[in-house]
Amino acid sequence: MSASSMDRIREAILAKVEAEAQQVIGDAERKSQQEIEKARKLHDIRIEEKKRETLQEAEQEGARVVAQASIKAHQNLSAAKADAVAKIVDGVKKSLAEIPADKGFSPSLIAEALDGLGGGKGRVYVPHRDVKKARALIKGDKKLADRIVEVRELDSMGGVVTEDVEGKVRIDNTFETRLEMLLPKLLPEISEELFKGRRGES
């Protein structure tokens, strides 16, 4: 896939980050604060109830309750962050699936996948929605037409797969594969953008 195609996928992912992050994380933080405040009130109540006991025992019990509430709040916030990232990735996948046929592939994308087969001929697989467009594109490009023996359908969000005529070698240039390759590199960037200003809370 060309650099511009990779950039579009990267931009699609990051474009969803800012819009969804504030509400998801804000809700999680408010819930976390409520848990902590509730624990503190319970702490105060127990201090009063245990005035007849030693102050040290009451404070230890209260500290334990607050600590447990803080742990729970931290776990809730971490879960909210993970859920936010998962929703963003799902949203990106849906967006990729809706990319118009004229933007889902190009002669250079097909040629790049064909190059992985060496200099021989091969087949091209594209999503059902792109078959007609791909055939027309190949027909209008002599270099591609000389190398591609047929165009077949592929269950994919977009992009292309090429295969040699014997079916032994396949080059996967689909959106799904490219997304899987990009995500490990982009997740740190997503997390930083989503949760900037909240370091130490992950």
Side-chain angles (χ1 to χ4, degrees):
M1 183 177 287
S2 62
S4 60
S5 298
M6 299 284 279
D7 287 342
R8 284 199 298 272
I9 296 176
R10 177 181 177 279
E11 291 169 2
I13 295 173
L14 296 178
K16 294 189 173 289
V17 168
E18 195 64 37
E20 297 187 30
Q22 296 304 317
Q23 182 176 353
V24 173
I25 301 306
D27 289 344
E29 288 180 331
R30 283 192 292 274
K31 185 175 180 181
S32 298
Q33 190 60 38
Q34 289 172 356
E35 291 284 347
I36 292 172
E37 289 301 321
K38 182 179 178 181
R40 285 175 176 163
K41 289 180 181 179
L42 181 59
H43 176 201
D44 293 339
I45 291 173
R46 290 188 177 181
I47 288 290
E48 293 298 321
E49 290 176 345
K50 294 190 175 186
K51 279 186 175 179
R52 290 173 295 183
E53 299 177 10
T54 64
L55 180 60
Q56 184 179 8
E57 290 175 344
E59 288 182 343
Q60 287 176 345
E61 173 68 8
R64 183 184 64 79
V65 172
V66 172
Q68 289 178 341
S70 296
I71 291 172
K72 183 177 180 181
H74 181 84
Q75 291 173 338
N76 289 340
L77 184 56
S78 295
K81 290 181 179 181
D83 187 56
V85 172
K87 286 181 179 178
I88 289 168
V89 173
D90 286 342
V92 170
K93 289 180 179 180
K94 291 179 182 178
S95 297
L96 289 175
E98 296 170 357
I99 291 178
D102 60 346
K103 296 181 180 180
F105 56 88
S106 64
S108 62
L109 183 65
I110 296 176
E112 179 184 336
L114 280 172
D115 288 343
L117 301 178
K121 295 185 178 182
R123 301 181 188 85
V124 169
Y125 294 79
V126 299
H128 172 75
R129 60 176 184 166
D130 297 338
V131 171
K132 291 183 179 179
K133 180 70 177 180
R135 287 174 176 164
L137 185 152
I138 293 167
K139 185 177 181 181
D141 188 310
K142 188 176 185 306
K143 290 184 178 180
L144 291 179
D146 289 343
R147 295 189 61 190
I148 297 172
V149 298
E150 64 179 321
V151 177
R152 294 183 178 179
E153 288 185 17
L154 173 71
D155 183 14
S156 172
M157 295 185 296
V160 300
V161 169
T162 54
E163 178 183 75
D164 65 5
V165 290
E166 291 83 14
K168 295 180 179 179
V169 180
R170 287 172 66 91
I171 305 299
D172 191 333
N173 232 355
T174 58
F175 290 169
E176 291 95 326
T177 297
R178 290 299 182 177
L179 183 59
E180 288 177 2
M181 294 170 61
L182 279 171
L183 278 178
K185 300 177 182 178
L186 280 175
L187 284 176
E189 189 172 350
I190 292 173
S191 295
E192 181 178 354
E193 184 65 22
L194 267 174
F195 315 123
K196 56 188 176 184
R198 300 181 175 90
R199 297 185 185 279
E201 297 179 6
S202 59

